[in-house]
Amino acid sequence: MRFCGSDTVSITGVILAGGRGSRMGGEDKGLVLYQGKPLYQHVLSRLRPQVSRVCISANRNLSVYQQTGLSVITDTLPDFPGPLAGMLAALEKIETEWVVFVSCDTPLLPEDLVSRLWQAKRDAPVVWAKSDGRDHPTLALMHVSLIEQLKSFLTKGERKVMIFLQQAGGHSVDFNDCPDAFNNINRYEDLIAGERG
């Protein structure tokens, strides 16, 4: 993948679809239909042109996700411990130094998300999107050097993505020019509103 200047960097994209979907009646959110196709496919179509390779982090309906031909990575920790567990499993499996994580419920993902995160990261090992004063910690660019720190964080029973990213020395990147890009589909009401919009 080519960014600013002459740098060529390979980045793996990981769609986080491994949650319980508790705010959507326990449904697998990535597979919920939105405008005629599963949510994760909307995210995939926007992410794929931005990265070298795409994988899916999932813990249910693995055969459905595998039909895409993409690698599917499952949590190495039991009982759906949250997005950080999916991030850890992906960091341990991918072959690139950098990975960009996106959630499966953001169908309007910015088409320049990765390049903007990369250009703004400076020396940070992790950066994440922020718009209208709201952090989006599951939309993050992360370096594999954080594996051991993340393992230690999870072993202590910690689960908050934002706390880990801050402790890891990361910072947010402003996307104030496209706030609607981060509208996520958490509940059925969001799904209905999105269909109308």
Side-chain angles (χ1 to χ4, degrees), residues 14 16 55 57 73-74 85-95 99 101 144:
V14 176
L16 296 169
C55 302
S57 167
I73 301 170
T74 56
M87 291 177 169
L88 174 61
L91 288 169
E92 291 176 324
K93 288 267 177 74
I94 63 163
E95 297 174 358
V99 57
F101 294 101
V144 293

Side-chain angles (χ1 to χ4, degrees), residues 151-169:
K151 271 187 194 171
S152 174
F153 187 80
L154 286 165
T155 301
K156 293 172 187 169
E158 299 285 355
R159 297 290 181 260
K160 301 272 188 193
V161 182
M162 198 68 236
I163 292 175
F164 173 74
L165 299 186
Q166 290 169 335
Q167 286 183 1

Side-chain angles (χ1 to χ4, degrees), residues 83-106:
L84 285 176
M87 291 177 169
L88 174 61
L91 288 169
E92 291 176 324
K93 288 267 177 74
I94 63 163
E95 297 174 358
T96 57
E97 286 189 30
W98 290 93
V99 57
V100 65
F101 294 101
V102 298
S103 49
C104 67
D105 60 1
T106 49

Side-chain angles (χ1 to χ4, degrees), residues 12-158:
T12 301
V14 176
I15 299 173
L16 296 169
R20 289 182 188 275
S22 52
R23 284 182 282 186
M24 203 168 268
E27 283 202 50
D28 188 335
K29 254 199 304 190
L31 299 180
V32 170
L33 291 182
Y34 174 77
Q35 295 182 355
K37 64 182 182 179
L39 266 174
Y40 86 93
Q41 289 188 5
H42 290 273
V43 176
L44 174 61
S45 66
R46 287 187 174 243
L47 179 63
R48 185 175 252 154
Q50 302 186 52
V51 293
S52 309
R53 179 176 178 236
V54 180
C55 302
I56 298 175
S57 167
N59 293 307
R60 297 182 287 168
N61 302 303
L62 303 185
S63 60
V64 178
Y65 287 115
Q66 286 165 344
Q67 288 171 10
T68 60
L70 303 176
S71 294
V72 178
I73 301 170
T74 56
D75 288 357
T76 51
L77 300 173
D79 303 322
F80 298 90
L84 285 176
M87 291 177 169
L88 174 61
L91 288 169
E92 291 176 324
K93 288 267 177 74
I94 63 163
E95 297 174 358
T96 57
E97 286 189 30
W98 290 93
V99 57
V100 65
F101 294 101
V102 298
S103 49
C104 67
D105 60 1
T106 49
L108 304 178
L109 198 70
E111 294 175 346
D112 60 354
L113 174 74
V114 180
S115 61
R116 287 174 67 173
L117 289 175
W118 177 263
Q119 289 163 12
K121 74 176 180 60
R122 301 190 294 275
D123 295 326
V126 62
V127 287
W128 63 92
K130 183 173 186 174
S131 64
D132 282 355
R134 184 177 168 209
D135 290 294
H136 304 285
T138 56
L139 300 176
L141 176 69
M142 191 180 298
H143 193 266
V144 293
S145 60
L146 294 179
I147 288 175
E148 293 306 319
Q149 189 174 343
L150 180 49
K151 271 187 194 171
S152 174
F153 187 80
L154 286 165
T155 301
K156 293 172 187 169
E158 299 285 355

